[in-house]
Amino acid sequence: MKRLQDKVAIITGAANGIGLEAASTFAREGAMVVIADFNEEKGLASEKELLAKDLTCHFIQVNVAERASVDQLVDRVVRGYGKIDILVNNAGITRDAMLSKMTELQFKQVIDVNLTGVFHCTQAVLPTMIAQGKGKIISTSSVSGVYGNVGQTNYAAAKAAIIGMTKTWAKELARKGINVNAVVPGFTETSMVEAVPDKVIEKMKEQIPMQRLGRPEDIANAYLFLASAESDYVNGHALHVDGGIMM
Ligand code: CAA
Ligand code: NAI
């Protein structure tokens, strides 16, 4: 028996990076994966790539920052597949700048996607999960939200807030049969870290007990655990997947 057999999973930001790896991992474990992403070109290409490997998936374009767009996504999934077993709030962006230079727009853009987007998606799937009497909600935080990071006022604020929201929702929703957890990745090899100066990355690696950055599959495997029945008694947890940098 596959670990997510016949489950319907929405993964936001699944056209690229960690989310795409998670889409592939979930589908290999038997899930029907909705690749929910803003980037239509990449989303369609990722859908094609997975379908070519006989992995069940469906790309639906969404902007998590816009409530109406999220409502349409959820409506299409419920009409098309009849249920939502798993939501992974993985979509995220960076707009890095030192506090002295950060613009109001840079602050707002990151809060809108990384924080308000998680609120939108979680609230939108709630009626379906409550009616089912079960569900799994996983949101992606970051080590930046726990110990801060130079140039990431906006991002660290959103990622710290995700941990607070996760714990709140874990308390509110446990009695409805819904598990709510977060994953806290360290720096991971995706396009998101490409803009980080090499000097910063090298310094970072020296501080990580495992001496390497995370790989998308390291994070996807944590999502898989929190999405599967194996984690049924795990609730309100922030699972660090960071090579030990946060000890
Ligand atoms: N630690 C300590 N000091 C740092 C630093 C760091 N990591 N990064 C920069 N500084 C210092 C610089 O040495 C410099 O000091 P001086 O003024 O004394 O010379 C000062 O801060 C300003 O740095 P810059 O000259 O680089 O300033 P800038 O305005 O050109 O750029 C920046 C600022 C955009 C923040 C740039 O430094 C940068 O991109 N840094 C990397 C930010 C980062 O780590 N982002 C993570 C992206 S990946 C991700 O977000 C995933 C995740 O969840 C972790
Ligand atoms: P990525 O940039 O490779 O992928 C992010 C995806 O989110 C993209 O496909 C993008 O189109 C999508 N997206 C952006 N805005 C969106 C919106 N408004 N609506 C819908 N989709 C949108 O990034 P990566 O690295 O795969 O990041 C995934 C998650 O992991 C993010 O939440 C990120 O903050 C988090 N994270 C990443 C780390 C890293 O070092 N790569 C470390 C810690 C956390």
Side-chain angles (χ1 to χ4, degrees):
M1 181 75 167
K2 292 182 174 177
R3 292 159 76 186
L4 301 182
Q5 192 66 50
D6 300 326
K7 301 290 185 194
V8 174
I10 298 176
I11 306 179
T12 67
N16 208 26
I18 294 168
L20 176 56
E21 186 64 33
S24 182
T25 302
F26 280 28
R28 276 200 308 274
E29 288 294 340
M32 207 306 295
V33 179
V34 176
I35 297 171
D37 202 289
F38 187 60
N39 188 327
E40 185 169 28
E41 197 184 328
K42 279 207 170 126
L44 288 170
S46 300
E47 178 188 59
K48 200 169 161 192
E49 184 188 318
L50 265 59
L51 289 174
K53 295 180 193 160
D54 279 334
L55 297 173
T56 50
C57 67
H58 180 181
F59 168 67
I60 299 179
Q61 195 193 18
V62 68
N63 179 359
V64 296
E66 284 179 13
R67 183 58 200 245
S69 173
V70 170
D71 285 343
Q72 276 174 19
L73 162 76
V74 169
D75 191 51
R76 282 183 66 184
V77 176
V78 172
R79 277 193 288 113
Y81 302 100
K83 59 175 187 164
I84 302 168
D85 298 295
I86 301 154
L87 168 69
V88 185
N89 285 309
N90 167 85
I93 59 168
T94 56
R95 295 289 183 269
D96 294 349
M98 306 301 278
L99 174 61
S100 57
K101 294 187 194 161
M102 186 171 285
T103 64
E104 186 89 20
L105 181 64
Q106 285 172 319
F107 188 80
K108 186 172 168 5
Q109 282 175 329
V110 170
I111 296 297
D112 285 354
V113 175
N114 296 12
L115 175 55
T116 313
V118 174
F119 168 72
H120 285 158
C121 293
T122 305
Q123 203 176 47
V125 302
L126 217 51
T128 305
M129 286 191 177
I130 289 174
Q132 291 164 182
K134 62 180 180 162
K136 300 267 192 180
I137 294 168
I138 301 144
S139 304
T140 312
S141 176
S142 163
V143 289
S144 295
V146 180
Y147 67 22
N149 190 24
V150 172
Q152 293 205 297
T153 299
N154 46 7
Y155 186 89
K159 294 300 187 181
I162 283 177
I163 296 178
M165 292 199 303
T166 294
K167 292 182 178 182
T168 299
W169 297 338
K171 287 182 174 168
E172 286 187 16
L173 301 174
R175 67 198 68 188
K176 309 281 184 195
I178 301 169
N179 297 65
V180 190
N181 292 290
V183 173
V184 187
F187 279 62
T188 305
E189 291 164 351
T190 71
S191 56
M192 191 173 267
V193 298
E194 273 166 18
V196 181
D198 289 348
K199 232 174 37 194
V200 176
I201 295 290
E202 285 317 309
K203 241 197 221 160
M204 172 75 55
K205 279 189 195 163
E206 283 166 24
Q207 291 162 29
I208 302 170
M210 294 188 73
Q211 303 273 289
R212 69 163 176 89
L213 298 193
R215 299 179 186 120
E217 59 266 33
D218 295 320
I219 316 305
N221 284 330
Y223 291 167
L224 174 61
F225 168 65
L226 293 173
S228 74
E230 290 152 28
S231 61
D232 276 353
Y233 199 56
V234 181
N235 193 35
H237 187 62
L239 175 57
H240 280 257
V241 185
D242 61 9
I245 198 170
M246 287 296 305
M247 280 187 291

